[in-house]
Amino acid sequence: MRQYRIRGGKRLSGELSIGGAKNSVLPILAAACLNESETIIHNCPRISDTLETIKILEGIGFRTEFLENTLKIYPAKDLSHEIPDECVKKMRSSILFMGALLAQTGKVNLALPGGCNLGERAINLHIRGLEAMGAKICEEEKKLFCKIGENGLNGAKIKLDFPSVGATENLLIAAVKAKGETVIENAAREPEISDLALFLKKLGAEIRGAGTGTIIINGTNKNFRKKIAHEIIPDRIVAGTYLVAAAMTTGDIKLTNVRPFELAPFTMYLSEMGCNLRAEENSVTLHAPKRLKAAGRIITKVHPGFLTDMQAQFVAALSIADKRSEITETIFEGRNSHVPELRKMGANIHLTADKQTFEIDGVERLRGANVAAHDLRCGAALVLAALSADGETIVQNSEFVERGYESIEKDLTSLGGDIKLEIV
Ligand code: UD1
């Protein structure tokens, strides 16, 4: 078992550089299947989700070399269309190989993706969109069997019922090799979509409108054979997590290699909570107050709204604010596994009957306890709570946190936190 042992009460201060974004690198690695030449990825985060995705790439025939934060992917001689089950079951983002391999080999078989348990509707938009482009998809015994029809993949006009990040990425990747024009309406607008589009354009794809609600792809139906290098954008959620860590510990930190405008959906709430923030071109500085102020009401929304991936960290921070705050989760059902764990540390959080709204009455201090991470951001929120708490906290199941943070214990130690990763 892997766990963090954290002694709380240390004030975080200092400077830290932020690495590449998990949610950007995962779709880009799937998109790399379209390249029949070498792909070089710089600023590639060494997180376990990247390592699992590399296993998929190697499992289908690519050779890779991962040195520090540079990943080299060498083209496959024979690309397999069978994605190894064990990787897919661990990670929801493995569904992105569906669009990539359909486009590249005309076929793909993969287990239904794992990761968070998000209910049955979780990939209907991916499937419907790919079918509109001519794919034939059937499900048998928790496995998806997909192939292209006789006429291959064709451009289509697809209107998403909801601007799903993953569905937008899957369709974007497939569309660059479909015949003719594809229009994705109600597309997700997250910065990671723009990064994926930039990567695909370097390969030779023709894409307009990425980052807006309408993306137009001029499918080329040709093979891409171009040695390309791409630098992954900084991880705005890792940056946000460390800003909240500083906010909760009366800290004073500077984060470099960030894009401050991408942090605005949540830094505006940190300002409201009494933090003093200063943004420069590629950095952001936060100076925390003695006691955080309540935030009123926060509602998670699609980009550029407040990120669902920062919800748990804000629940932790508002647990020690001066008054009552409220956060409503609207993107995922049941994203609340951090609540019972934070309660063990003395947080006063009430869940409404639909379990989507958290009413948080700030307490003066949290106290150390034995808690367990149940998913990635739940784990991050518990680490933050532990840094601010009195006494010692054990956060079990650190492997969830390691999916999305490259050595969180080293980063926080460098800022003065007392946190150790233990393998017991
Ligand atoms: C991505 C991010 C994740 C983030 C989420 C929302 C990656 C690797 N992960 O996940 O960190 O929390 O965006 O910002 O980038 N849905 C359907 N049908 C579908 C697809 C989605 O109903 O076909 C629903 C989901 O159940 C969920 C909501 O749409 O309730 C959001 O999902 P989506 O935007 O697709 O998130 P992911 O791409 O899985």
Side-chain angles (χ1 to χ4, degrees), residues 85 89 110-113 138-145:
D85 282 1
K89 284 185 178 145
L110 77 168
L112 280 171
C138 62
E139 186 195 324
E140 271 170 42
E141 292 176 13
K142 300 215 164 183
K143 200 154 175 163
L144 292 168
F145 296 87

Short mmCIF file of all heavy atoms in Angstrom, two decimals, residues 85 89 110-113 138-145:
data_model
loop_
_atom_site.label_atom_id
_atom_site.label_comp_id
_atom_site.label_asym_id
_atom_site.label_seq_id
_atom_site.Cartn_x
_atom_site.Cartn_y
_atom_site.Cartn_z
N ASP A 85 -6.29 -5.06 -22.56
CA ASP A 85 -7.38 -4.84 -21.60
C ASP A 85 -6.93 -4.18 -20.31
O ASP A 85 -7.60 -3.29 -19.79
CB ASP A 85 -8.03 -6.19 -21.22
CG ASP A 85 -8.95 -6.67 -22.32
OD1 ASP A 85 -9.05 -5.97 -23.34
OD2 ASP A 85 -9.55 -7.74 -22.14
N LYS A 89 -8.80 -0.78 -18.67
CA LYS A 89 -9.67 -0.86 -17.49
C LYS A 89 -9.27 0.15 -16.43
O LYS A 89 -10.09 0.57 -15.63
CB LYS A 89 -9.66 -2.28 -16.95
CG LYS A 89 -10.51 -3.18 -17.85
CD LYS A 89 -10.66 -4.57 -17.34
CE LYS A 89 -11.57 -5.35 -18.27
NZ LYS A 89 -11.20 -6.74 -18.40
N LEU A 110 -11.49 -2.66 -27.94
CA LEU A 110 -11.01 -2.27 -26.61
C LEU A 110 -12.07 -2.54 -25.55
O LEU A 110 -13.28 -2.52 -25.85
CB LEU A 110 -10.56 -0.81 -26.56
CG LEU A 110 -11.57 0.33 -26.50
CD1 LEU A 110 -10.86 1.62 -26.17
CD2 LEU A 110 -12.32 0.51 -27.79
N ALA A 111 -11.60 -2.83 -24.35
CA ALA A 111 -12.52 -3.04 -23.24
C ALA A 111 -13.19 -1.71 -22.91
O ALA A 111 -12.64 -0.64 -23.23
CB ALA A 111 -11.74 -3.55 -22.03
N LEU A 112 -14.36 -1.77 -22.30
CA LEU A 112 -14.99 -0.51 -21.87
C LEU A 112 -14.06 0.14 -20.86
O LEU A 112 -13.54 -0.52 -19.97
CB LEU A 112 -16.35 -0.80 -21.24
CG LEU A 112 -17.47 -1.03 -22.26
CD1 LEU A 112 -18.72 -1.52 -21.57
CD2 LEU A 112 -17.76 0.23 -23.04
N PRO A 113 -13.83 1.44 -21.00
CA PRO A 113 -12.81 2.07 -20.16
C PRO A 113 -13.18 2.14 -18.68
O PRO A 113 -14.34 2.20 -18.32
CB PRO A 113 -12.69 3.47 -20.74
CG PRO A 113 -13.91 3.69 -21.52
CD PRO A 113 -14.44 2.37 -21.93
N CYS A 138 -19.95 -2.16 -32.05
CA CYS A 138 -20.86 -2.98 -31.24
C CYS A 138 -20.17 -3.35 -29.94
O CYS A 138 -18.93 -3.36 -29.83
CB CYS A 138 -21.38 -4.19 -31.99
SG CYS A 138 -20.11 -5.31 -32.48
N GLU A 139 -21.02 -3.62 -28.95
CA GLU A 139 -20.50 -3.93 -27.62
C GLU A 139 -20.86 -5.37 -27.28
O GLU A 139 -22.01 -5.77 -27.42
CB GLU A 139 -21.14 -2.97 -26.61
CG GLU A 139 -20.55 -3.11 -25.22
CD GLU A 139 -21.41 -2.45 -24.14
OE1 GLU A 139 -22.00 -1.38 -24.40
OE2 GLU A 139 -21.49 -3.03 -23.06
N GLU A 140 -19.87 -6.16 -26.89
CA GLU A 140 -20.13 -7.54 -26.46
C GLU A 140 -19.32 -7.80 -25.22
O GLU A 140 -18.10 -7.58 -25.21
CB GLU A 140 -19.68 -8.52 -27.54
CG GLU A 140 -20.74 -8.84 -28.56
CD GLU A 140 -20.17 -9.63 -29.72
OE1 GLU A 140 -19.35 -10.54 -29.49
OE2 GLU A 140 -20.53 -9.29 -30.86
N GLU A 141 -19.99 -8.27 -24.19
CA GLU A 141 -19.32 -8.62 -22.94
C GLU A 141 -18.30 -7.58 -22.50
O GLU A 141 -17.11 -7.86 -22.36
CB GLU A 141 -18.68 -9.99 -23.06
CG GLU A 141 -19.73 -11.08 -23.18
CD GLU A 141 -19.13 -12.45 -23.40
OE1 GLU A 141 -17.92 -12.61 -23.23
OE2 GLU A 141 -19.91 -13.33 -23.74
N LYS A 142 -18.78 -6.36 -22.31
CA LYS A 142 -17.97 -5.25 -21.81
C LYS A 142 -16.78 -4.91 -22.70
O LYS A 142 -15.75 -4.41 -22.25
CB LYS A 142 -17.49 -5.54 -20.38
CG LYS A 142 -18.64 -5.75 -19.41
CD LYS A 142 -18.32 -5.20 -18.07
CE LYS A 142 -19.60 -5.07 -17.28
NZ LYS A 142 -19.55 -4.53 -16.03
N LYS A 143 -16.87 -5.26 -23.98
CA LYS A 143 -15.80 -4.91 -24.92
C LYS A 143 -16.42 -4.23 -26.14
O LYS A 143 -17.53 -4.60 -26.55
CB LYS A 143 -15.07 -6.19 -25.31
CG LYS A 143 -13.72 -5.94 -25.85
CD LYS A 143 -12.76 -7.08 -25.69
CE LYS A 143 -11.49 -6.65 -26.41
NZ LYS A 143 -10.33 -7.35 -26.11
N LEU A 144 -15.72 -3.23 -26.66
CA LEU A 144 -16.21 -2.54 -27.85
C LEU A 144 -15.46 -3.04 -29.08
O LEU A 144 -14.22 -3.12 -29.08
CB LEU A 144 -15.98 -1.03 -27.72
CG LEU A 144 -16.79 -0.29 -26.67
CD1 LEU A 144 -16.24 1.11 -26.47
CD2 LEU A 144 -18.27 -0.23 -27.07
N PHE A 145 -16.20 -3.39 -30.13
CA PHE A 145 -15.60 -3.82 -31.40
C PHE A 145 -15.98 -2.76 -32.43
O PHE A 145 -17.16 -2.57 -32.72
CB PHE A 145 -16.14 -5.20 -31.81
CG PHE A 145 -15.74 -6.28 -30.83
CD1 PHE A 145 -16.51 -6.54 -29.70
CD2 PHE A 145 -14.57 -7.01 -31.03
CE1 PHE A 145 -16.13 -7.51 -28.80
CE2 PHE A 145 -14.19 -7.99 -30.12
CZ PHE A 145 -14.96 -8.24 -28.99
#
